[in-house]
Amino acid sequence: MVIRKGKKEDMPAALELIKELAVFENEPDAVVVTVDELERDGFGPNPLFKTFVAEKDNEIIGMALFYYRYSTWKGKTIHLEDLIVKEAHRGTGAGSALYKEVIKFGKQEGVRRVEWAVLNWNQHAIDFYERSGATVFQDWLTVQMDEEGITKFTLNL
């Protein structure tokens, strides 16, 4: 298995991983992003994200997608949006290798924090993160406004 930076040509496989993650998270119909959007947004003139992929026998079996954020308390940080490994390859060390690569990248970039979200029912992942030294906060709630909410909100401005 090889861990490497993702390339534009990897985005069709990346989208398949994203769809597999959506199924795992019980949201099989939630993915609306396209390969074209991933290629444009990750590899255009102003890339919005970076990726590492896990590749085995010329097949992409996992991916970590992350991007920079800015904390008013900490400065430059990284947000790990998704860490995905194909179901058939879970338990092979691919997820751990991708995780290590993102944390190592953050260290090299001088970020003061790497952060991500984990579903409260994904105890296997929670245990892994805590064993690695990460803190899983119980007092912060994730807040989102979806596209429909944005539209409704802006209509009332």
Side-chain angles (χ1 to χ4, degrees):
M1 178 179 56
V2 174
I3 304 298
R4 63 170 173 79
K5 288 182 179 179
K7 302 180 286 192
K8 185 176 183 178
E9 303 81 54
D10 298 328
M11 292 305 99
L15 183 56
E16 290 308 309
L17 285 164
I18 292 165
K19 289 177 180 179
E20 184 172 332
L21 179 64
V23 170
F24 175 77
E25 293 183 352
N26 301 313
E27 293 281 348
D29 299 321
V31 178
V32 296
V33 72
T34 67
V35 170
D36 288 341
E37 289 172 314
L38 290 168
E39 290 174 350
R40 177 196 69 211
D41 295 341
F43 301 90
N46 297 303
L48 298 176
F49 63 84
K50 297 180 181 298
T51 59
F52 288 115
V53 297
E55 189 174 44
K56 184 176 181 183
D57 299 327
N58 296 315
E59 175 190 6
I60 294 175
I61 62 167
M63 173 187 74
L65 187 146
F66 58 97
Y67 51 88
Y68 290 107
R69 289 176 64 175
Y70 196 84
S71 165
T72 56
W73 291 4
K74 301 295 181 184
K76 185 167 74 168
T77 68
I78 286 176
H79 181 81
L80 174 57
E81 180 66 22
D82 283 323
L83 194 156
I84 314 160
V85 175
K86 284 185 177 182
E87 185 173 13
H89 296 276
R90 292 183 192 144
T92 64
S96 180
L98 287 163
Y99 179 76
K100 287 175 186 175
E101 199 66 26
V102 171
I103 303 300
K104 185 172 79 175
F105 179 84
K107 177 69 173 167
Q108 291 167 348
E109 290 292 301
V111 302
R112 292 194 176 108
R113 179 171 65 208
V114 179
E115 58 192 355
W116 59 95
V118 61
L119 288 165
N120 64 359
W121 53 259
N122 192 348
Q123 195 62 48
H124 180 74
I126 291 168
D127 292 344
F128 171 79
Y129 296 141
E130 288 179 333
R131 279 193 312 272
S132 79
T135 302
V136 178
F137 291 100
Q138 302 298 318
D139 54 347
W140 285 85
L141 300 175
T142 301
V143 179
Q144 295 180 340
M145 185 178 291
D146 65 11
E147 190 174 8
E148 181 181 344
I150 294 167
T151 300
K152 285 180 181 178
F153 181 83
T154 56
L155 288 175
N156 294 320
L157 294 181

